[in-house]
Amino acid sequence: MNLARHCELCDNQIVSLKEGTTCKLTNKKPEFNKTCSKIELREKFEQTLKEVNIHYEQVKRTKIASYVNFGIFLFISLFVMFGGYYLGKYALDSGVISTVPIIIMGVGFLILPMAFGPLNRYRQDVNAAKNKKDKIDEVLNLYNIDYTIDLKFGKEIHGTQEVYADLKIKGLR
């Protein structure tokens, strides 16, 4: 396990471009076996824990919109492609050779990324947020710290949403 993960939650962390992560108490890089006996989990820990959980919940809340977007644009894309195909079939049966149906089907293929793009973005975002949350939870398990967080999402005003977080921590020394 990366020892700096412990330090990222600790109030004693010092970060510099030259040295990287060092401890304010020892002025050395992290050196411990499994857990740090001098770790201080206070303000930085609580702030990081709230931010990670809020971000994870915000990403999860976009699931329905991502899947609805996928369904709508997939339907439009397929509709346009089949419309171009049947237009070409009708034109060919009428004895007319035209490139218009091929162009219409091409437009249908160009709409497909509008269906799959947001869906892939949602999947990547939820995996990244869950990975961050799991890394913090893994460190907290080593210290036998458990927490519950109650999030309440308020109004969204101009793209900024109010979030109220009630964090309860058990096992913090």
Side-chain angles (χ1 to χ4, degrees):
M1 174 186 279
N2 185 0
L3 298 179
R5 279 197 220 159
H6 298 251
C7 299
E8 290 171 0
L9 301 174
C10 181
D11 289 337
N12 294 324
Q13 179 191 28
I14 298 174
V15 180
S16 70
L17 292 175
K18 185 178 178 184
E19 297 292 324
T21 296
T22 56
C23 182
K24 182 175 21 175
L25 301 175
T26 62
N27 290 326
K28 295 180 184 177
K29 293 209 174 273
E31 298 175 344
F32 48 88
N33 189 10
K34 194 173 180 183
T35 60
C36 178
S37 61
K38 298 174 183 165
I39 195 165
E40 285 188 34
L41 302 174
R42 302 281 180 256
E43 294 90 23
K44 185 177 179 183
F45 161 69
E46 288 183 15
Q47 186 65 27
T48 303
L49 197 57
K50 285 179 183 178
E51 287 174 3
V52 167
N53 280 286
I54 288 170
H55 180 67
Y56 179 61
E57 288 300 320
Q58 284 176 329
V59 170
K60 281 183 13 182
R61 290 170 60 111
T62 64
K63 180 179 184 176
I64 293 172
S66 298
Y67 280 100
V68 167
N69 181 74
F70 172 74
I72 289 172
F73 279 103
L74 183 65
F75 173 76
I76 292 170
S77 175
L78 293 174
F79 182 77
V80 170
M81 284 190 281
F82 283 118
Y85 171 77
Y86 286 118
L87 178 65
K89 187 176 178 186
Y90 175 75
L92 196 58
D93 289 344
S94 300
V96 178
I97 297 176
S98 176
T99 59
V100 173
I102 295 171
I103 294 171
I104 292 173
M105 290 189 321
V107 169
F109 278 111
L110 290 175
I111 296 173
L112 274 178
M114 294 172 74
F116 285 99
L119 181 64
N120 288 337
R121 174 68 186 244
Y122 163 75
R123 287 179 166 172
Q124 289 173 352
D125 288 349
V126 79
N127 285 338
K130 180 155 178 38
N131 191 22
K132 255 185 177 177
K133 182 181 178 327
D134 289 345
K135 284 180 180 179
I136 290 176
D137 290 345
E138 183 181 333
V139 170
L140 295 180
N141 284 338
L142 293 173
Y143 293 96
N144 295 321
I145 297 173
D146 192 23
Y147 69 93
T148 56
I149 188 164
D150 184 30
L151 300 174
K152 289 187 174 69
F153 291 88
K155 293 180 181 179
E156 185 173 339
I157 302 170
H158 301 294
T160 304
Q161 187 167 26
E162 297 174 349
V163 181
Y164 305 100
D166 182 26
L167 179 64
K168 293 183 177 102
I169 303 169
K170 297 174 199 149
L172 192 61
R173 45 184 165 127

